[in-house]
């Protein structure tokens, strides 16, 4: 392309345009090509061309000078171009498309291309005789699938990982120094990450992992802290305990929280001996702790799914006050999951998709082809940290490993990747459609080995971190690099109070999903989901 007024200033092969759209499914949704930044006649062009097949090579050109996107057919002698200026594809300062691409060619995605998805697909595919040549942009009420610029990342071999034995009480005691202060804490956390904890040690160790007790504190400081927190807890509990029935009738928010908590508690882990039976004291403790949390965090209150997070903590700690503060520590990590805006959940699903795209682009392509590329079937996994996917004892092991924060942030996303990696052949070789994919994922419940999943998740992490050309946004997810730019400012205030009767955050509706029994966290069809709490 050099010469004749052209100068290539950047070129990258192995770049694909992904064209899958919900209404149109075909096996050719991923188109391989080469992208170049070209200087021509004092203009800068962003040029993409597919790998030539059968002598026909459609191209895309974006010009910095006139802010137009062109679809070019080289077989036409006049280099026929079709302007999409009327779609207002780019902002006024359209030059930032080129500058962003030059700054980070691996992670840049051209969201503006989404508006020409249907047109682009129509131009690349044969049109039925008599069909209209110009297609309108996608309607506003449908999600725009978008084009993604995907840069192939060459990952090295996946390393072998061996997990260690659980930390025992004797090993923990060796880390307790003078005055009861824990020593060599990083080494201790590494051991918990690699092997978990012996069941008899969890009651003490979880208080540290969840931030209730300080790793640096002495035994006396811990006792004083517990006394202070005990007083604080019962002051908050008295706030709702002292409300008379007459007052509660005039307090719809508290009444709604109480009703929702009673309903959820009555069906939380009832097969566990700690919670089974009609008059089980464990149920009363679950109820009281969750109502007190509404006093502790007025803005968030209670949202369905929180009882799932409290249940294992109360089971292990077996003390109302200590369990409450440990639960608060857990909620500090995941409270964004329960906010009404769903922004945190959307962001997590986006990060999960990015990780999976780097780890296994073929699996992503398959899921896209079956209208499952949004990974909505992973929603419940992330919402309550796989609480309903593993047997109860395995959940305890999984959580204590994740609470170490090792080997970096977002290990729970790699746990999700590990499960999908374990099931990739079943998903891809069986010819599953979207219904079958969701059904298969739901049927994995209680059939997964937590040790196998954790081993694979750590191997995936090592495989990614060993890659010298890892995209910057993936490095951010893994905690290997700071954000490239500050994110858009978000309100610092707490979210608005939530209606106690609203359902938990739900993923984008899926109209072909069958409801599952005894769960308010399943992915339900929109018409059923709207009345889930009525």
């Amino acid at each position: 392309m050099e010469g004749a007024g052209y100068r290539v200033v950047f070129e990258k092969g192995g770049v694909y345009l992904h064209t899958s759209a919900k209404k149109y499914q075909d096996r050719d949704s991923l188109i391989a090509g080469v992208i170049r930044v070209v200087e021509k006649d004092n203009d800068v062009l962003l040029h993409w061309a597919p790998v030539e097949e059968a002598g026909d090579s459609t191209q895309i050109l974006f010009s910095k000078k006139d802010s137009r996107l062109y679809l070019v057919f080289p077989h036409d002698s006049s280099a026929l171009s079709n302007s999409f200026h009327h779609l207002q594809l780019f902002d006024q300062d359209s030059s930032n498309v080129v500058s962003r691409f030059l700054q980070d060619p691996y992670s840049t995605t051209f969201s503006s291309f989404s508006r020409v998805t249907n047109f682009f697909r129509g131009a690349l595919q044969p049109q039925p005789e008599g069909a209209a040549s110009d297609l309108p942009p996608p309607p506003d009420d449908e999600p725009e699938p978008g084009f993604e610029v995907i840069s192939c990342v060459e990952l090295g071999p996946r390393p072998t990982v061996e997990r260690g034995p659980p930390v025992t009480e004797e090993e923990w005691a060796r880390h307790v120094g003078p005055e009861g202060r824990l020593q060599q804490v990083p080494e201790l956390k590494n051991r918990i990450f690699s092997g978990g904890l012996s069941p008899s040690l969890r009651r003490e160790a979880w208080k540290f992992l969840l931030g209730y007790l300080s790793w640096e504190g002495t035994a006396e400081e811990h006792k004083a802290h517990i006394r202070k927190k005990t007083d604080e807890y019962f002051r908050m509990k008295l706030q709702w305990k002292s409300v008379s029935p007459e007052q509660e009738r005039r307090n719809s928010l508290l009444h709604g929280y109480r009703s929702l908590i009673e309903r959820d508690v009555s069906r939380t882990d009832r097969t566990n001996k700690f919670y089974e039976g009609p008059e089980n004291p464990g149920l009363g403790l679950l109820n009281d702790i969750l109502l007190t949390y509404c006093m502790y965090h007025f803005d968030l209150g209670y949202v369905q799914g929180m009882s799932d997070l409290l249940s294992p903590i109360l089971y292990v700690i077996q003390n109302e006050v200590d369990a409450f503060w440990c639960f608060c520590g857990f909620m500090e990590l995941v409270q964004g999951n329960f906010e009404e805006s769903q922004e945190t959940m959307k962001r997590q699903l986006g990060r999960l998709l990015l990780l999976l795209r780097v780890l296994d682009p073929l699996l992503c392509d398959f899921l896209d082809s079956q209208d499952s590329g949004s990974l909505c079937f992973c929603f419940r996994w992330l919402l309550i940290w796989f609480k309903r996917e593993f047997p109860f004892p395995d959940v305890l092991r999984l959580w204590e490993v994740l609470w170490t924060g090792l080997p970096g942030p977002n290990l729970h996303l790699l746990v999700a990747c590990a499960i999908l990696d374990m099931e990739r052949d079943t998903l891809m070789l069986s010819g599953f459609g979207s219904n079958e994919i969701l059904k298969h994922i739901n049927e994995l419940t209680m059939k997964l080995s937590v040790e196998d999943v954790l081993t694979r998740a750590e191997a995936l992490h090592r495989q990614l971190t060993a890659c010298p050309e890892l995209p910057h946004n993936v490095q951010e997810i893994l905690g290997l690099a700071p954000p490239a730019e500050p994110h858009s400012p978000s309100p610092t205030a707490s979210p608005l109070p939530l209606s106690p009767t609203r359902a938990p955050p739900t993923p984008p509706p899926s109209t072909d999903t069958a409801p599952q029994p005894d769960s308010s966290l399943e992915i339900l069809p929109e018409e059923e989901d709207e009345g889930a709490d009525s």
Side-chain angles (χ1 to χ4, degrees), residues 181-195:
R181 198 189 308 270
L182 287 169
Q183 300 176 328
Q184 299 174 314
V185 172
E187 177 187 324
L188 183 56
K189 285 184 179 179
N190 270 303
R191 279 287 295 115
I192 298 171
F193 168 74
S194 67

Side-chain angles (χ1 to χ4, degrees), residues 236-249 251-266 283-284 286-295 301-304 307 498-501:
M236 291 186 293
K237 184 174 181 179
L238 185 62
Q239 290 177 338
W240 64 265
K241 276 283 191 181
S242 60
V243 174
S244 67
E246 292 77 14
Q247 287 177 300
E248 187 170 323
R249 279 198 292 270
N251 189 332
S252 61
L253 193 63
L254 177 60
H255 179 74
Y257 285 145
R258 187 191 295 273
S259 300
L260 190 57
I261 288 169
E262 287 177 354
R263 188 182 73 179
D264 283 0
V265 163
S266 68
L283 300 180
L286 277 177
N287 181 85
D288 289 2
I289 291 173
L290 292 170
L291 273 169
T292 305
Y293 185 78
C294 294
M295 301 295 106
Y302 177 80
V303 183
Q304 288 174 310
S307 61
L498 305 179
S499 166
T501 57

Side-chain angles (χ1 to χ4, degrees), residues 1-16:
M1 227 175 145
E2 297 283 356
Y6 282 88
R7 187 172 76 89
V8 177
V9 296
F10 182 88
E11 178 174 309
K12 176 68 178 177
V15 176
Y16 297 78

Side-chain angles (χ1 to χ4, degrees), residues 179-301:
E179 300 181 319
R181 198 189 308 270
L182 287 169
Q183 300 176 328
Q184 299 174 314
V185 172
E187 177 187 324
L188 183 56
K189 285 184 179 179
N190 270 303
R191 279 287 295 115
I192 298 171
F193 168 74
S194 67
L197 294 160
S198 296
S200 59
L201 184 55
R202 286 181 173 136
R203 186 176 182 182
E204 178 179 2
W206 279 24
K207 298 173 187 176
F208 293 90
L209 288 169
L210 290 167
Y212 178 36
L213 298 182
S214 168
W215 293 96
E216 295 79 23
T218 65
E220 286 302 316
E221 288 170 341
H222 292 156
K223 289 178 182 178
H225 180 73
I226 290 173
R227 286 194 298 268
K228 175 185 174 183
K229 288 300 191 180
T230 299
D231 291 342
E232 188 176 346
Y233 173 79
F234 283 110
R235 282 198 303 271
M236 291 186 293
K237 184 174 181 179
L238 185 62
Q239 290 177 338
W240 64 265
K241 276 283 191 181
S242 60
V243 174
S244 67
E246 292 77 14
Q247 287 177 300
E248 187 170 323
R249 279 198 292 270
R250 295 187 293 272
N251 189 332
S252 61
L253 193 63
L254 177 60
H255 179 74
Y257 285 145
R258 187 191 295 273
S259 300
L260 190 57
I261 288 169
E262 287 177 354
R263 188 182 73 179
D264 283 0
V265 163
S266 68
R267 61 186 189 183
T268 299
D269 292 324
R270 296 307 303 276
T271 58
N272 187 304
K273 288 186 178 181
F274 190 76
Y275 299 110
E276 68 181 3
E279 302 295 331
N280 192 297
L283 300 180
L285 292 177
L286 277 177
N287 181 85
D288 289 2
I289 291 173
L290 292 170
L291 273 169
T292 305
Y293 185 78
C294 294
M295 301 295 106
Y296 173 77
H297 201 321
F298 285 104
D299 291 332
L300 187 58

